[in-house]
Amino acid sequence: MPDAEHPQLRTFGRIKARPIKPRQAALLETLLPRLRVPAEPFDPRALAPAAREIWLEIGFGGGEHMAAQAQRHPDVLILGAEPFQNGVASALRHIDEQGLQNVRLQDGDARELIGHLPDASIARAFILFPDPWPKTRHHKRRLVNAETLADLARVLQPGGRLRFASDVAHYVDWALERIIASPAFRWSAERADDWRRPAADHVTTRYEEKRLGDCAPVFLDFVRI
């Protein structure tokens, strides 16, 4: 377990890029404190007692997918984690413009949020286009690893679903190898189109449309056994 002398390796890169626009900066000061999840163990049901399910998006980028799913499913509470400040600011804009009441945020490492969640509290988890850390010496920083998968297995309900997507071929192979090696997950694909085409409920974002990777987007869906 990580400690002060042996901290967890970062699985994300920079936390801020261009200057944040004034309106979004204001939302960071006013809206984010109201949406931020507790910085200690908590029961997400207490945040939204009427929620049908609790979903988790790890690394929500600019928040497009998270906001769209929240709008489509107002009876679901979506927890989102993102360390990139510009992304958090963008997500807050989406939340504010759409008047979403069913989103709560962690503006930091998703692994901290997962560590604060109770067992079997999450029905769905999304890891969409995470930092691929393409250099071989940095592969150890990839989010999909045995430790993170064990943590996800703990918080996902039996029958809960995990979706991983990437447009980096090596990371797709990496993730598939590690997730199917876990006894906690079953790959749900039955035919090639199940990973070559996005599921009907997927939300395509502007980032995904840029096709910055080296292959067409691949979508891997798993079930918590």
Side-chain angles (χ1 to χ4, degrees):
M1 178 177 293
D3 54 35
E5 295 184 2
H6 301 91
Q8 273 186 321
L9 288 172
R10 271 176 49 160
T11 59
F12 50 89
R14 60 185 181 174
I15 60 172
K16 187 176 180 181
R18 62 187 183 281
I20 295 173
K21 297 178 181 179
R23 180 190 170 197
Q24 295 182 4
L27 291 174
L28 286 170
E29 295 294 327
T30 59
L31 183 56
L32 178 59
R34 302 204 303 267
L35 301 183
R36 187 180 279 126
V37 298
E40 57 190 15
F42 69 98
D43 184 351
R45 287 287 178 186
L47 303 179
R52 173 176 58 86
E53 291 182 340
I54 313 296
W55 295 2
L56 169 67
E57 182 160 351
I58 300 173
F60 55 71
E64 289 177 80
H65 176 273
M66 178 177 63
Q69 294 288 7
Q71 187 176 54
R72 290 179 180 180
H73 304 280
D75 58 344
V76 170
L77 174 64
I78 300 184
L79 307 178
E82 173 60 57
F84 188 48
Q85 292 181 28
N86 299 76
V88 174
S90 174
L92 290 170
R93 177 177 61 82
H94 290 299
I95 292 168
D96 184 56
E97 289 179 350
Q98 298 176 42
L100 301 174
Q101 302 297 316
N102 57 330
V103 180
R104 298 293 183 271
L105 304 178
Q106 160 93 353
D107 51 326
D109 195 330
R111 295 171 298 178
E112 294 179 6
L113 170 56
I114 295 170
H116 290 157
L117 293 174
D119 294 356
S121 56
I122 303 297
R124 295 194 70 179
F126 302 91
I127 304 175
L128 306 178
F129 303 94
D131 192 328
W133 292 101
K135 295 182 179 179
T136 301
R137 68 177 184 272
H138 290 156
H139 286 176
K140 61 187 176 183
R141 294 183 179 273
R142 287 177 168 174
L143 176 65
V144 178
N145 57 44
E147 182 179 354
T148 301
L149 291 173
D151 291 340
L152 280 172
R154 181 185 66 80
V155 300
L156 275 168
Q157 302 166 359
R161 291 172 289 167
L162 168 64
R163 175 171 296 163
F164 172 90
S166 178
D167 55 4
V168 176
H170 187 269
Y171 203 175
V172 172
D173 293 340
W174 168 286
L176 181 59
E177 178 182 355
R178 282 154 180 77
I179 300 175
I180 62 175
S182 168
F185 294 99
R186 174 179 61 82
W187 190 21
S188 62
E190 297 179 351
R191 57 187 66 86
D193 278 353
D194 290 340
W195 66 82
R196 290 175 178 166
R197 296 183 180 181
D201 63 350
H202 175 66
V203 177
T204 301
T205 65
R206 287 175 295 174
Y207 177 86
E208 180 183 338
E209 290 175 340
K210 291 178 181 179
R211 299 294 180 95
L212 299 177
D214 58 8
C215 69
V218 176
F219 302 89
L220 305 177
D221 281 287
F222 302 90
V223 177
R224 173 69 168 93
I225 299 171

